[in-house]
């Protein structure tokens, strides 16, 4: 049975809520619908940053001490507003949508403690939008000993199946953190690779008071400190085989403060690219095709660095394939909601390290 699902994603970049509609039976993508975006205000983003900071001491996934209760309320309200705006813009009524996949905002990701915390109240969102909501996608996976991330691989696989390309294909998602999905016939392997945009965003904000490096222009003016990158790549994370996952701030201690703002931006951009390339020797075969998605795909310096490092493999921005680069993760959570409803696996031993294929998600009805 085909379902019309709406996916809602708020990633580690803390930029805003992506919304996307997808028609799917949880296996195949029948049609992709429109997408939308509801940015966080500076005030909301400030509260989320504070929530991330206060979440480091969380004892369990339901505790909401300090500002976390208020942050959760703000996240839920922003998502309700995102759905209302999206429905109005596309003249949809709540009867047109069968299920909403609500990722929530990750404030802590510590799979080694069997803990991954996404704030956002599924039950109150379902009541606000009058549509069944699936949420808490990652909890069952970490509970069973998985990494709880990445979760987009099953969706990347569904998208890549329609390409019919020869040779291994990798889809890279550059969000706050970067992750890859390796697809070769039936083989599906996935992991986080290292930083995405988060280190660079933090640097741009601190040094140049800009939210991000638009199109990679600042990095394009700087010089890369190759020795710094080589040192950073010595961290054990980078040589560990997949599956593996990261928290947004896992590399926040790596500083480029003694470099000029442009050299720092160039070095952090090259670090993200180098960390993505570092995964190649950990894969069964050398990938032939790379597809880059997420906000990082708009960073032209990042794309150039990836192309140089991965040649002769081809590197394409997802947009050039007709995929909506900014909406893939939101589409993925619509797709995952459909899978969750049908009890299909969301994660596998080779994507999150969970011991067996694992379904997940909790359902809240209005
Ligand atoms: N025009 C652009 N040029 C360069 N980088 C961009 C651009 N637009 C967005 N980004 C980057 O993408 C990030 C958002 O990416 P996104 O895929 O939404 O990440 P997440 O899933 O972590 O929220 C921004 O924080 C910024 O670093
Ligand atoms: Mg985002």
């Amino acid at each position: 049975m085909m379902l019309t699902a709406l996916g809602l994603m708020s990633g580690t970049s803390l930029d805003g809520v992506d919304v996307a509609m997808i028609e799917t039976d949880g296996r195949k993508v029948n049609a992709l619908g429109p997408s939308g975006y509801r940015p966080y205000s500076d005030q909301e983003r400030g509260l989320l940053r504070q929530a991330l900071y206060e979440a480091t001491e969380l004892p369990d996934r339901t505790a909401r001490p300090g500002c976390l209760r208020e942050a959760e309320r703000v996240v839920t309200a922003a998502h309700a507003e995102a759905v209302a705006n999206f429905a109005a813009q596309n003249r949809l009524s709540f009867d047109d949508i069968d299920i909403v996949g609500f990722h929530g905002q990750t404030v802590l990701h510590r799979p080694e403690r069997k803990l991954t915390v996404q704030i956002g109240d599924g039950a109150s969102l379902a009541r606000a939008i009058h549509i069944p909501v699936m949420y808490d996608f990652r909890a069952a996976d970490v509970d069973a000993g998985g990494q709880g991330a990445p979760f987009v691989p099953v969706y990347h696989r569904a998208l890549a199946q329609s390409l019919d390309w020869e040779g291994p294909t990798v889809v890279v998602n550059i969000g706050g953190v970067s992750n890859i999905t390796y697809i070769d016939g039936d083989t599906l392997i996935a992991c986080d690779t290292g930083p995405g945009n988060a280190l660079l965003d933090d640097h741009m904000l601190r040094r140049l008071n800009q939210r991000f490096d638009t199109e990679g222009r600042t990095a394009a003016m700087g010089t890369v400190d190759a020795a710094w990158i080589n040192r950073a790549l010595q961290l054990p994370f980078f040589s560990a085989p997949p599956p593996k996952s990261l928290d947004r701030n896992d590399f926040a201690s790596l500083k480029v403060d003694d470099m000029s703002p442009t050299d720092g931006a160039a070095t952090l951009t090259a670090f993200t690219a180098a960390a993505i390339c570092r995964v190649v020797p950990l894969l069964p075969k050398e990938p032939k095709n790379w597809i880059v998605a997420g906000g990082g795909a708009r960073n032209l310096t990042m794309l150039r660095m990836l192309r140089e490092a991965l040649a002769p493999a081809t590197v394409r921005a997802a947009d050039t394939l007709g995929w909506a680069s900014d909406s893939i993760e939101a589409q993925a959570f619509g797709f995952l909601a459909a899978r969750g409803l049908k009890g299909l696996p969301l994660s596998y031993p080779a994507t999150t390290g969970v011991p067996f294929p694992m379904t997940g998600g909790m359902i809240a009805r209005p």
Side-chain angles (χ1 to χ4, degrees):
M1 193 188 63
M2 282 295 160
L3 296 169
T4 301
L6 212 61
L8 305 177
M9 181 65 196
S10 175
T12 46
S13 295
L14 309 175
D15 55 312
V17 181
D18 293 299
V19 187
M21 200 160 107
I22 177 171
E23 206 180 286
T24 177
D25 59 0
R27 291 189 169 87
K28 282 211 165 81
V29 180
N30 200 42
L32 293 176
S35 52
Y37 179 58
R38 192 277 192 196
Y40 290 124
S41 67
D42 287 344
Q43 201 190 350
E44 288 167 341
R45 193 172 301 111
L47 177 61
L48 292 179
R49 279 183 177 270
Q50 182 63 26
L52 245 60
Y53 176 73
E54 291 185 15
T56 50
E57 303 298 327
L58 278 182
D60 64 73
R61 60 194 323 281
T62 56
R64 298 289 184 267
C67 76
L68 282 153
R69 176 79 50 204
E70 174 61 6
E72 177 156 67
R73 197 193 59 72
V74 164
V75 165
T76 310
H79 283 72
E81 197 180 296
V83 173
N85 294 347
F86 179 84
Q89 272 158 17
N90 296 290
R91 298 174 199 287
L92 297 166
S93 93
F94 50 80
D95 304 330
D96 296 331
I97 301 159
D98 298 308
I99 183 80
V100 166
F102 176 31
H103 176 268
Q105 178 66 52
T106 298
V107 292
L108 185 69
H109 185 67
R110 285 279 163 248
E112 72 283 2
R113 283 165 50 200
K114 293 198 169 185
L115 192 56
T116 184
V117 185
Q118 285 75 42
I119 57 171
D121 181 343
S124 90
L125 181 65
R127 283 194 300 274
I129 62 178
H130 312 288
I131 307 170
V133 169
M134 182 156 281
Y135 62 102
D136 262 356
F137 288 91
R138 303 182 193 268
D141 183 275
V142 291
D143 211 45
Q147 291 288 309
F151 260 50
V152 281
V154 280
Y155 182 62
H156 286 160
R157 178 178 60 185
L159 281 179
Q161 269 162 358
S162 65
L163 295 172
D164 224 5
W165 284 351
E166 228 173 87
T169 296
V170 173
V171 184
V172 190
N173 175 53
I174 308 180
V177 166
S178 297
N179 61 272
I180 57 127
T181 305
Y182 171 94
I183 306 146
D184 185 24
D186 288 334
T187 308
L188 183 68
I189 296 173
C191 64
D192 284 349
T193 58
N197 302 307
L199 287 182
L200 179 62
D201 286 355
D202 293 349
H203 169 80
M204 292 299 294
L205 190 64
R206 213 173 40 242
R207 301 289 295 277
L208 294 167
N209 200 28
Q210 295 172 29
R211 264 188 48 217
F212 54 83
D213 182 12
T214 308
E215 284 161 25
R217 283 185 220 143
T218 305
M221 292 185 294
T223 303
V224 174
D225 184 340
W228 186 96
I229 292 172
N230 285 335
R231 270 198 311 278
L233 287 177
Q234 297 305 312
L235 289 169
F237 175 84
F238 296 104
S239 51
K244 51 183 173 176
S245 72
L246 290 166
D247 200 12
R248 181 190 192 277
N249 292 340
D250 275 349
F251 296 116
S253 61
L254 295 173
K255 299 276 189 226
V256 291
D257 290 345
D258 53 342
M259 299 180 204
S260 71
T262 50
D263 289 355
T267 301
L268 290 174
T269 307
F271 179 34
T272 293
I276 291 167
C277 300
R278 179 68 185 84
V279 85
V280 171
L282 307 172
L283 297 171
K285 286 191 222 158
E286 200 163 310
K288 273 191 121 161
N289 319 289
W290 292 76
I291 302 169
V292 187
R298 297 208 200 176
N299 184 320
L300 302 179
T301 306
M302 185 90 77
L303 279 181
R304 175 173 58 76
M305 289 172 169
L306 281 170
R307 285 205 173 96
E308 284 168 8
L310 294 167
T314 57
V315 178
R316 294 181 179 84
D319 284 323
T320 65
L321 298 170
W323 300 6
S325 187
D326 293 322
S327 313
I328 290 179
E329 281 204 284
Q331 290 165 355
F333 279 91
F335 183 77
L336 290 166
R339 286 183 75 86
L341 269 187
K342 297 186 178 200
L344 294 168
L346 309 185
S347 55
Y348 295 89
T351 62
T352 64
V354 70
F356 39 83
M358 184 84 204
T359 190
M362 304 278 288
I363 181 104
R365 300 194 185 269

